[in-house]
Amino acid sequence: MSGLFMNNIYKSFDRVTVLNGVNFHVKKGEVHALLGMNGAGKSTLMKILAGDLQPNEGTITIDGTDVNFPNPAAAKKAGIGLVVQEVDTALFPFLTVYENIVADDLVHAARHPFLSWKKQKQRAAQVLQQIGLSLPLDKRIHECTLHEKQLIVLAKVLFSSARYIILDEPTAALSEVETKRLFSIMKQLKNQGVSFIYISHKLKEVKEICDQVTILRDGSVVHQGDAAQLSIEEMIYHMVGRTQQRKERERRTYGEDILFEVKQLQIPKTNTMIDLQIRKGEIVGIAGLVGAGKTELAESLFAHTKTTGEWLIHGKRHTFSSPKEAIAAGMCFIPEERRKQGLFMSETTRTNLTVRLLSSLAKWQWISRKQEKERAQQLIDTLHIQPSSQQAIVKQLSGGNQQKIVIGKWLQTGGEVFIFDEPTKGIDVSAKAEVFAIIRSLAEQGKAVLYLTNEFQELLDIADTIYVMVDGQLVQRFTAEEATYEQLIYYSSGGGEENGTSTNNNAFNRKAISS
């Protein structure tokens, strides 16, 4: 009996049941989607398969043989590979690309005294070539971009000869071109009998690449079947347990007063210069593929990196040399890598929500715990953070609740300018709707909002004005009414330059874009 079978899997934490008799079957040489809202049990099920957790009940069978995974090493030996969403947790930042790919063999080098490291290095290079990643093997991981790290983790799994590969939000850090390359690689490996378990909130991708789909809700399987026979609307229905209501986007109005403006902002990492304006109550979107320079722009606006330029907030001129100065002037930053840059993962919800409020909660260097608890509870209630306990450890929360905490810590600071860099990465459709509601609420309060993403449909849903970024430059501008998905794809892929309509020789020159 070929294939992977997880039979009647139960898992509880204390008195909370997370998995309730789950049956999950992956055939040899197929891509099987595992879907569900945050908290549905997907991660727990995959942690059991990867040997990170033990089930309370249930069995795992691979190709007719019952297996037991007391640890991740046992799962790897049985052919289970895991490409995690937060790739930094799977890599050694100060080791080389080669050392990371062959890390398991390096750890157990004593068991393989006659192993040819020259051949290992050649094989590592072949794996990188297989996935289309051109990198020096001696490059340090901390010098790599986010999407390069994603592909290095995939290379590491392929190097270990995994037969069942878990892909957790694999395209979250990839551009459209890189996503297509990944899909091409997956199809090639499928033909060689490799199977994939595909976890993603991008349901269009599920339809494109997956053969079968299993949907979890509240720890139970609510649907299993052929992915081609299930519409995206039906997937969402099974995930949330109700029919999604379609609504036309309401037209928003905002003032003419310019709240935030940046002039001659030099972005060192892309060697470009930007002018930008955001009006009071306006949501401005920056659309760009991965590698377009969006994060570099966001970090320069927040003075994460040394830069030059002139910032104006409510007409008052500033020059920032550090994030501390930017924060003091009223700027707030929700970074792309929330676990690495936005949260204290081992601390409580309360600590993370109130960290930016400590100066207002302290008197004579003593923090008022009563006020701290009150402020934290206000934010928990407002943002509908689950679980609602202030003492919950952040690393144990779902991605959607973590993201609400990253945003929530800024809401009572009096900030005027909110910068969101890929704010919905890796969160489900329900959490995404809640993040959108928070952003719209900020705009209604008269804040200036900058929203940077490669999810173009999101900008069409929420932004009032959309700019397209290519190679660190703003090359096109649209109002919400005139923008289309096809236009955003066209210009972000450099289509405008092919027809001579770049910012240098048409109405969308740098001066026009800033107005």
Side-chain angles (χ1 to χ4, degrees):
M1 183 172 57
S2 66
L4 167 69
F5 293 82
M6 300 184 76
N7 303 308
N8 207 30
I9 303 294
Y10 285 84
K11 182 64 181 178
S12 298
F13 295 98
D14 295 326
R15 297 181 180 180
V16 179
T17 299
V18 179
L19 295 175
N20 189 22
V22 171
N23 293 305
F24 184 59
H25 173 211
V26 181
K27 298 177 183 177
K28 183 178 179 180
E30 79 170 4
V31 180
H32 196 125
L34 181 62
L35 305 180
M37 309 291 281
N38 284 331
K42 306 186 303 297
S43 296
T44 301
L45 186 67
M46 290 300 98
K47 285 179 180 178
I48 290 173
L49 180 59
D52 287 323
L53 291 175
Q54 303 301 308
N56 298 119
E57 295 182 41
T59 61
I60 301 175
T61 303
I62 296 180
D63 297 333
T65 302
D66 289 343
V67 294
N68 179 41
F69 301 147
N71 52 53
K76 290 178 182 178
K77 188 175 181 180
I80 305 299
L82 173 62
V83 179
V84 296
Q85 178 185 346
E86 303 291 344
V87 292
D88 284 302
T89 64
L91 297 170
F92 300 99
F94 293 102
L95 295 184
T96 65
V97 172
Y98 162 68
E99 289 167 334
N100 272 272
I101 291 175
V102 303
D104 290 341
D105 286 349
L106 289 174
V107 170
H108 301 295
R111 301 179 187 176
H112 309 283
F114 302 107
L115 193 64
S116 170
W117 294 109
K118 181 179 179 180
K119 290 184 179 179
Q120 292 292 82
K121 201 163 190 175
Q122 290 175 344
R123 187 174 163 218
Q126 289 172 355
V127 172
L128 285 178
Q129 185 178 13
Q130 182 183 10
I131 62 175
L133 185 58
S134 178
L135 278 180
L137 286 173
D138 58 355
K139 185 175 182 178
R140 304 286 175 178
I141 291 296
H142 69 87
E143 299 172 342
C144 297
T145 65
L146 186 59
H147 72 274
E148 287 173 342
K149 293 176 187 176
Q150 177 84 49
L151 294 177
I152 291 168
V153 175
L154 176 59
K156 181 178 179 180
V157 169
L158 292 174
F159 187 86
S160 69
S161 301
R163 292 176 293 141
Y164 297 93
I165 300 177
I166 305 165
L167 300 177
D168 187 3
E169 298 289 349
T171 64
L174 302 183
S175 68
E176 186 175 356
V177 171
E178 291 158 347
T179 296
K180 289 182 178 179
R181 182 190 305 153
L182 173 63
F183 288 177
S184 177
I185 294 167
M186 290 171 64
K187 290 173 182 176
Q188 293 174 18
L189 293 171
K190 271 180 58 179
N191 293 333
Q192 300 170 23
V194 176
S195 302
F196 293 91
I197 300 169
Y198 196 88
I199 302 173
S200 179
H201 295 299
K202 298 180 180 180
L203 302 183
K204 184 179 179 182
E205 290 183 359
V206 170
K207 292 283 292 179
E208 180 179 353
I209 192 63
C210 296
D211 304 302
Q212 294 288 312
V213 58
T214 294
I215 301 176
L216 298 181
R217 187 171 71 243
D218 298 329
S220 298
V221 174
V222 294
H223 181 84
Q224 287 180 323
D226 190 338
Q229 300 301 316
L230 198 64
S231 69
I232 290 177
E233 290 77 11
E234 288 170 328
M235 290 181 189
I236 294 173
Y237 171 76
H238 288 300
M239 289 167 63
V240 303
R242 61 182 185 273
T243 303
Q244 190 177 32
Q245 300 297 317
R246 291 179 174 271
K247 294 192 301 183
E248 293 293 328
R249 175 179 169 179
E250 297 179 4
R251 293 190 62 181
R252 295 183 60 258
T253 58
Y254 51 90
E256 292 296 322
D257 296 336
I258 297 173
L259 192 161
F260 175 70
E261 184 175 8
V262 63
K263 297 180 179 180
Q264 302 287 295
L265 178 72
Q266 183 70 37
I267 307 174
K269 290 184 179 180
T270 57
N271 193 30
T272 54
M273 188 174 291
I274 293 292
D275 290 353
L276 183 69
Q277 293 179 348
I278 308 177
R279 291 172 172 80
K280 184 177 181 180
E282 184 182 17
I283 301 173
V284 170
I286 305 289
L289 302 177
V290 173
K294 302 185 302 300
T295 293
E296 291 78 4
L297 168 60
E299 291 181 346
S300 293
L301 286 171
F302 200 63
H304 255 258
T305 55
K306 290 185 179 180
T307 184
T308 58
E310 185 179 30
W311 290 257
L312 292 92
I313 301 177
H314 288 300
K316 183 178 179 180
R317 298 179 183 275
H318 301 270
T319 54
F320 300 142
S321 59
S322 69
K324 181 179 179 180
E325 294 176 358
I327 292 169
M331 297 190 66
C332 309
F333 183 37
I334 293 82
E336 177 181 8
E337 297 188 67
R338 57 176 172 267
R339 294 187 177 215
K340 187 177 179 181
Q341 297 177 303
L343 294 166
F344 298 106
M345 294 300 295
S346 297
E347 295 295 334
T348 64
T349 296
R350 181 199 303 163
T351 297
N352 277 275
L353 283 173
T354 59
V355 66
R356 302 259 32 112
L357 305 174
L358 293 181
S359 60
S360 64
L361 298 174
K363 186 176 182 180
W364 305 109
Q365 298 184 343
W366 292 94
I367 296 173
S368 171
R369 295 302 177 187
K370 180 181 178 182
Q371 290 185 42
E372 182 186 26
K373 291 178 182 178
E374 289 175 351
R375 293 283 196 96
Q377 195 59 51
Q378 288 172 5
L379 291 167
I380 288 171
D381 294 342
T382 299
L383 299 171
H384 306 294
I385 295 170
Q386 295 295 332
S388 58
S389 170
Q390 296 186 19
Q391 293 303 108
I393 303 301
V394 165
K395 67 181 178 183
Q396 297 174 348
L397 304 185
S398 68
N401 284 296
Q402 288 176 358
Q403 187 69 326
K404 285 189 280 187
I405 293 172
V406 177
I407 300 171
K409 70 181 181 182
W410 296 104
L411 296 184
Q412 295 185 3
T413 63
E416 294 288 343
V417 182
F418 285 76
I419 302 171
F420 292 83
D421 187 11
E422 300 287 357
T424 64
K425 186 175 109 178
I427 65 176
D428 63 41
V429 292
S430 179
K432 186 180 296 188
E434 292 181 294
V435 169
F436 279 10
I438 295 169
I439 292 172
R440 290 191 180 100
S441 175
L442 290 169
E444 289 168 2
Q445 295 170 38
K447 310 297 185 182
V449 177
L450 185 65
Y451 191 110
L452 305 99
T453 184
N454 60 14
E455 296 288 348
F456 297 160
Q457 186 58 52
E458 293 182 4
L459 295 181
L460 297 173
D461 291 339
I462 197 169
D464 302 307
T465 304
I466 301 173
Y467 296 92
V468 178
M469 173 167 272
V470 177
D471 296 331
Q473 296 181 334
L474 301 179
V475 300
Q476 190 62 288
R477 175 185 183 275
F478 298 99
T479 64
E481 290 77 16
E482 65 187 4
T484 67
Y485 186 85
E486 290 77 13
Q487 286 174 322
L488 298 184
I489 290 291
Y490 176 75
Y491 284 102
S492 65
S493 61
E497 295 183 3
E498 293 178 355
N499 294 320
T501 56
S502 68
T503 57
N504 293 324
N505 57 7
N506 77 343
F508 282 117
N509 55 33
R510 190 162 59 84
K511 184 175 180 181
I513 283 180
S514 67
S515 63

